[in-house]
Amino acid sequence: MSPSPELSVIVPTFNERENVPELVRRLASALSRVDWEVIFVDDDSPDGTAALVRELARKDPRVRVVQRVNRRGLSTACVEGMLASSAPYLAVIDADLQHDERILPDLLAAVRDEGLDVAVGSRYTEGGGTKDWAADRQFVSRFATTLSRLVLKADLKDPMSGFFLLRREVLEEAVHELSGIGFKILLDIFASVPRPLRFREIPYTFRPRQAGESKLDSVVAWEYLIMLLDKSIGRYVPIRFVPFAFIGGIGVLVHMAVLWVVFQAMDRSFVAGQTVATLVAMTSNFFLNNMFTYRDRRLRGWGLLRGWVSFTLACSLGAVANVGIATYLFQSDAAGDIGWVLSALAGIIVGAVWNYAVTSVYTWSKPKAA
Ligand code: GDD
Ligand code: MN
């Protein structure tokens, strides 16, 4: 029996079949003086990445795989990979050979020998870089980095890096606070540990992808914003309430536009206009929330119909509560210090909180362990 290795390298994968064997070869050569293992965390890739890793694992005991079913997410994959290891040092690296594995021994030495908490493979320190990146991607990356300062107390040059190494204690301090949303696990860790982390950035050049394709799309940007919100105001407000309320605001505009069309342009009755406008606004709110607020619990197929019915029912009750409370406040406001605006506002807030609370339980219920 050999003891657990000193270093676990965690590799999140989704459709990376063609890159895996080469990555293992490169790790083996970069880490020839280290006692290491590699843990692939694969989200049931249709290209059979997990099966391929298991084949390698049968020949090489340093290779392991965690296959997750009905799950997606880069951040949670990294966390679960780290939790599957008992090594004192944990590294995360992408499977697509874009991160330079040759600096892994330097990352390890920085944490182990200099007593740091984290060592980060960095594109934005002296000597690092992003080869062949189009100007727009460079701009987006820099802009996102600037935004990260909202939640980050440390002066990290490359907080968006997906390539880093940390000592196990850091994971343990962070793990119950992590937001786990999206791609930016390093930033999440820095924002989740209550104390300032001791870190160093080690430069490397981000390489072009060899095979397969990137999973970074516009949704990732949205998830990034949600993660920042979660880390800044998430302690005080349930984080999904923010996009939910925002979409509610869009719903008001939709309502007004439809009302205008039916009541004014088509010259139907006000009641007809209100009815159609309410239905259209609720339906568009339902789909927007399903696409954004509850992206990770997105309803599909028949679930959509069921969800739409429960959403509409909940929001109808919410509307009744809204109007009821506003009317009550307005009418009981004999002295007139609340006024019609505040009465209406109170109704809207109660209605919105009701809609949020009820639909979060009945429409987009937490998935049962699948
Ligand atoms: N398990 C799992 N689940 N893995 C995933 C998922 C997922 O939902 N989505 C992506 N991955 C894996 C990919 O297979 C790849 O190994 C790695 O995560 C990075 O995904 P890419 O799609 O290649 O991302 P990128 O190259 O655009 O961005 C990467 O590099 C940036 C710079 O360091 C990411 O690591 C970013 O977080 C990082 O900022
Ligand atoms: Mn990549």
Side-chain angles (χ1 to χ4, degrees):
M1 284 276 287
S2 63
S4 111
E6 182 175 35
L7 172 68
S8 288
V9 181
I10 313 302
V11 187
T13 55
F14 192 75
N15 286 343
E16 302 286 1
R17 201 187 152 81
E18 291 170 74
N19 292 315
V20 163
E22 177 61 19
L23 179 68
V24 173
R25 267 195 296 278
R26 291 192 190 187
L27 287 176
S29 98
L31 295 170
S32 57
R33 293 162 196 281
V34 179
D35 186 11
W36 63 282
E37 68 178 348
V38 56
I39 304 179
F40 289 87
V41 185
D42 183 70
D43 286 351
D44 212 13
S45 303
D47 79 347
T49 304
L52 176 78
V53 177
R54 270 192 291 276
E55 245 172 69
L56 296 179
R58 279 190 208 103
K59 291 177 227 125
D60 186 342
R62 296 172 302 189
V63 177
R64 297 169 53 193
V65 59
V66 175
Q67 180 177 357
R68 306 196 301 172
V69 178
N70 290 327
R71 302 276 304 281
R72 272 304 296 275
L74 178 48
S75 279
T76 56
C78 296
V79 174
E80 284 165 40
M82 294 193 254
L83 289 171
S85 136
S86 344
Y89 302 102
L90 305 162
V92 173
I93 189 171
D94 288 350
D96 56 8
L97 312 172
Q98 293 192 278
H99 296 155
D100 192 340
E101 70 293 332
R102 288 169 301 180
I103 68 166
L104 275 169
D106 302 335
L107 296 176
L108 178 62
V111 171
R112 187 189 51 198
D113 307 336
E114 295 173 31
L116 300 176
D117 293 309
V118 187
V120 179
S122 175
R123 296 163 291 174
Y124 299 139
T125 37
E126 201 57 43
T130 47
K131 222 179 180 171
D132 306 332
W133 261 19
D136 58 340
R137 178 152 184 198
Q138 289 208 17
F139 173 78
V140 169
S141 178
R142 301 249 175 200
F143 179 65
T145 306
T146 309
L147 273 185
S148 73
R149 306 262 176 255
L150 290 176
V151 299
L152 197 65
K153 290 138 262 166
D155 183 29
L156 254 180
K157 296 281 177 297
D158 193 359
M160 324 291 281
S161 176
F163 183 26
F164 58 89
L165 186 149
L166 45 75
R167 59 175 67 246
R168 159 152 234 107
E169 292 78 13
V170 176
L171 170 74
E172 283 162 10
E173 281 176 71
V175 73
H176 295 106
E177 307 301 325
L178 289 173
S179 120
I181 303 167
F183 260 48
K184 304 307 173 190
I185 178 64
L186 180 67
L187 186 57
D188 202 350
I189 291 174
F190 266 84
S192 297
V193 176
R195 67 185 170 92
L197 291 173
R198 288 159 298 171
F199 68 93
R200 189 144 79 82
E201 291 183 82
I202 296 181
Y204 78 97
T205 302
F206 195 77
R207 297 186 286 227
R209 193 179 242 280
Q210 302 284 315
E213 46 192 60
S214 170
K215 285 93 209 167
L216 208 150
D217 55 17
S218 55
V219 171
V220 170
W222 167 265
E223 285 180 335
Y224 177 59
L225 290 179
I226 299 287
M227 197 264 267
L228 290 183
L229 277 175
D230 187 24
K231 281 287 140 208
S232 46
I233 59 169
R235 253 166 296 156
Y236 314 107
V237 202
I239 199 56
R240 290 184 212 256
F241 185 69
V242 177
F244 189 88
F246 181 76
I247 288 169
I250 297 178
V252 173
L253 299 182
V254 171
H255 184 109
M256 290 310 189
V258 175
L259 179 60
W260 183 86
V261 169
V262 177
F263 178 53
Q264 297 285 337
M266 293 167 60
D267 209 18
R268 299 298 164 85
S269 70
F270 184 70
V271 177
Q274 279 287 43
T275 311
V276 177
T278 307
L279 267 177
V280 173
M282 275 185 188
T283 305
S284 91
N285 279 9
F286 169 70
F287 282 102
L288 286 175
N289 277 310
N290 195 48
M291 217 147 70
F292 293 106
T293 315
Y294 290 101
R295 183 166 191 90
D296 55 328
R297 304 184 192 169
R298 205 168 352 157
L299 304 169
R300 296 164 206 267
W302 286 108
L304 266 180
L305 186 64
R306 221 207 77 246
W308 179 83
V309 170
S310 68
F311 185 84
T312 313
L313 281 177
C315 294
S316 306
L317 285 175
V320 172
N322 175 345
V323 173
I325 284 180
T327 312
Y328 170 78
L329 282 178
F330 182 68
Q331 286 174 350
S332 67
D333 183 25
D337 15 280
I338 307 183
W340 63 273
V341 175
L342 283 185
S343 300
L345 215 57
I348 290 175
I349 290 173
V350 171
V353 170
W354 161 274
N355 289 349
Y356 173 75
V358 174
T359 59
S360 75
V361 175
Y362 290 102
T363 308
W364 289 282
S365 37
K366 266 217 169 91
K368 294 168 200 76

